[in-house]
Amino acid sequence: MIRGPVFAANWKMNHTSRDAKTFMRTFLVQYARRPDRTVIFFPPALTLASVADALKGRQDILLGVQNIHWEAKGAFTGEQSAEMAKEAGATFVLIGHSERRHVFGERDEETQKKCAAALRAGITPLLCVGEKLEERERGETDAVVLRQLRAGTAALDPAAIGSMIIAYEPVWAIGTGKTAQPEDASAVHSVIRRELAVLAGDRTKETPILYGGSANAGNAAALISAENVDGLLVGGASLEPEVWASIART
Ligand code: PGA
């Protein structure tokens, strides 16, 4: 159940099971239960069990995986299904993260199949969209974001679209220390919000639209105060427990 702003930690390929235990010992002391917000961790799949174990008794903190395959099972070496993620304790999955798209060649059609597979398994897709620097410079930001949003949600029924989370993550801001200005993020979030209403009507009024890309303890407050910015998806700044706790308390 999602409440208030969403603070999502994308650990990418960082933190072993042992690291995660150490992290959680500090984090859980520094982040007391807050009913007015939602905190989600996306650890590496092999670290998930250790995080789930450390979070026993803290049902306020939720878990997700960073990727799934769209098939339920079969000969797909190296992959994991939505069902497997769910059984391991994940209730969310990142789909279409820019590193999946641009490092691993994931295409729009695959993001759609993955969103559909997640929804079938009862996991909430967190669909990431965002333009590259050259696309922004060519004035194509809205077009790219809309293309990715429409492709990821194609053929899903409106209720399903209404249950998703969207993250706007400009590629040029990820891991680069260059953050979008709150008003720039807000402008793109408004484009996303309008398109969600076209795709699925009123039920998307509350759809969380997160910002991601070099969010940190210094800029988190300004970003989440911007209109239509409903939370943050944080990579680098989520890896240190003290820093991440202070962002989650924003
Ligand atoms: P960053 O990553 O916070 O390190 O820029 C964000 C993300 O990729 O989700």
Side-chain angles (χ1 to χ4, degrees):
M1 164 87 182
I2 297 167
R3 267 206 208 90
V6 176
F7 294 90
N10 174 12
W11 279 359
K12 309 190 181 189
M13 199 172 74
N14 294 290
H15 290 337
T16 64
S17 299
R18 196 178 302 151
D19 298 337
K21 286 220 176 328
T22 312
F23 178 106
M24 286 300 168
R25 265 200 295 277
T26 306
F27 176 76
L28 292 176
V29 172
Q30 303 217 355
Y31 178 75
R33 208 179 281 270
R34 302 266 305 243
D36 63 341
R37 62 198 56 216
T38 302
V39 172
I40 312 172
F41 280 91
F42 291 90
L46 288 174
T47 302
L48 188 80
S50 152
V51 176
D53 190 50
L55 289 178
K56 280 205 183 103
R58 285 294 299 262
Q59 285 83 358
D60 59 312
I61 299 172
L62 305 172
L63 278 175
V65 288
Q66 300 171 12
N67 184 34
I68 50 165
H69 193 274
W70 55 85
E71 293 292 347
K73 61 180 175 177
F76 302 102
T77 301
E79 295 290 329
Q80 62 209 354
S81 71
E83 202 57 55
M84 290 165 188
K86 188 174 183 196
E87 233 181 86
T91 45
F92 297 88
V93 55
L94 296 182
I95 293 177
H97 187 277
S98 74
E99 285 144 25
R100 298 300 318 167
R101 292 179 191 268
H102 303 302
V103 181
F104 299 102
E106 193 164 301
R107 288 165 299 149
D108 285 341
E109 309 85 83
E110 291 164 358
T111 66
Q112 192 280 337
K113 290 196 269 187
K114 290 180 179 193
C115 285
L119 290 160
R120 274 198 302 278
I123 297 187
T124 302
L126 195 165
L127 176 66
C128 304
V129 298
E131 82 287 5
K132 293 191 273 191
L133 183 59
E134 59 270 30
E135 293 166 332
R136 169 159 282 257
E137 285 168 346
R138 288 198 299 262
E140 294 170 4
T141 299
D142 293 1
V144 170
V145 163
L146 288 174
R147 190 200 78 227
Q148 292 175 342
L149 180 63
R150 288 177 189 140
T153 56
L156 298 179
D157 68 66
I161 297 174
S163 72
M164 291 172 60
I165 302 180
I166 309 296
Y168 169 55
E169 297 210 306
V171 180
W172 48 268
I174 296 179
T176 58
K178 289 188 208 140
T179 319
Q181 290 306 307
E183 54 278 18
D184 294 334
S186 187
V188 181
H189 285 223
S190 307
V191 169
I192 294 171
R193 172 82 58 215
R194 275 199 297 278
E195 182 63 16
L196 284 170
V198 171
L199 295 170
D202 272 1
R203 41 171 82 72
T204 62
K205 271 206 184 106
E206 308 282 310
T207 298
I209 306 175
L210 317 187
Y211 168 80
S214 298
N216 58 42
N219 59 28
L223 285 164
I224 65 162
S225 327
E227 202 183 343
N228 276 321
V229 178
D230 308 309
L232 299 172
L233 178 55
V234 181
S238 72
L239 294 175
E240 293 296 330
E242 295 85 357
V243 177
W244 177 234
S246 87
I247 294 174
R249 291 194 307 259
T250 304

